[in-house]
C-alpha cells in the first residue's frame, strides 16, 4: 500500500535520472505548527545538512497536503529557511558543530 497519491509532488529533494537523491540530510526533529482542520498541515522540520553547505543544521517549514489518507504533496514554504550551527533536540542530543 502506497503512502502517497499517484500524482504526488514534492520539492524537498531532487531525484537524479541515473539514480540517487540530493538534499537528503537526515531529519533530526519535526513538529506540527499549523493544521487547517481538514487536509493541510504545516511542519517545522529540522535537518542535518550534507557537507556541501556553509552551515550545519537547517529549519524550514513544510506544507503537507493529504488526500484520501495519503500524502498528495510536500512542499517547502518559501522564505521559511533558518540556518543554524547547532540544534539541541533534548539535553545531550545535539546536532551540528561542536561546542566551543
Amino acid at each position: 500500500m502506497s503512502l502517497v497519491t499517484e500524482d504526488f509532488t514534492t520539492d524537498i529533494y531532487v531525484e537524479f535520472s541515473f539514480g540517487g537523491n540530493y538534499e537528503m540530510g537526515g531529519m533530526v526533529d519535526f513538529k506540527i505548527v499549523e493544521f487547517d482542520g481538514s487536509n493541510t498541515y504545516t511542519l517545522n522540520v529540522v535537518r542535518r545538512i550534507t557537507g556541501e553547505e556553509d552551515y550545519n543544521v537547517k529549519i524550514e517549514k513544510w506544507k503537507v497536503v493529504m488526500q484520501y489518507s495519503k500524502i498528495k504533496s510536500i512542499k517547502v514554504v518559501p522564505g521559511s529557511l533558518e540556518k543554524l550551527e547547532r540544534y539541541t533536540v533534548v539535553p545531550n542530543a545535539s546536532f551540528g558543530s561542536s561546542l566551543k
Side-chain angles (χ1 to χ4, degrees):
M1 182 168 128
S2 176
L3 298 176
V4 298
T5 62
E6 288 184 21
D7 60 343
F8 172 76
T9 57
T10 188
D11 63 359
I12 62 170
Y13 68 93
V14 176
E15 289 185 4
F16 295 112
S17 57
F18 52 83
N21 300 313
Y22 175 74
E23 188 58 79
M24 290 302 294
M27 185 182 290
V28 173
D29 197 9
F30 74 94
K31 179 180 181 179
I32 298 173
V33 294
E34 191 177 315
F35 174 57
D36 75 355
S38 62
N39 67 342
T40 304
Y41 299 83
T42 302
L43 307 175
N44 258 359
V45 178
V46 181
R47 296 169 65 191
R48 295 173 73 177
I49 302 302
T50 60
E52 299 171 3
E53 305 292 346
D54 61 347
Y55 52 97
N56 297 309
V57 179
K58 70 179 178 180
I59 301 175
E60 56 192 2
K61 287 185 173 31
W62 291 359
K63 178 99 32 191
V64 179
V65 178
M66 304 293 292
Q67 182 180 54
Y68 309 117
S69 300
K70 294 185 177 187
I71 302 169
K72 181 172 178 62
S73 70
I74 302 176
K75 302 271 179 117
V76 175
V77 174
S80 67
L81 175 65
E82 293 180 56
K83 300 174 182 179
L84 304 174
E85 286 299 314
R86 190 167 182 80
Y87 179 84
T88 301
V89 181
V90 295
N92 297 319
S94 295
F95 297 88
S97 60
S98 59
L99 294 173
K100 296 179 181 181

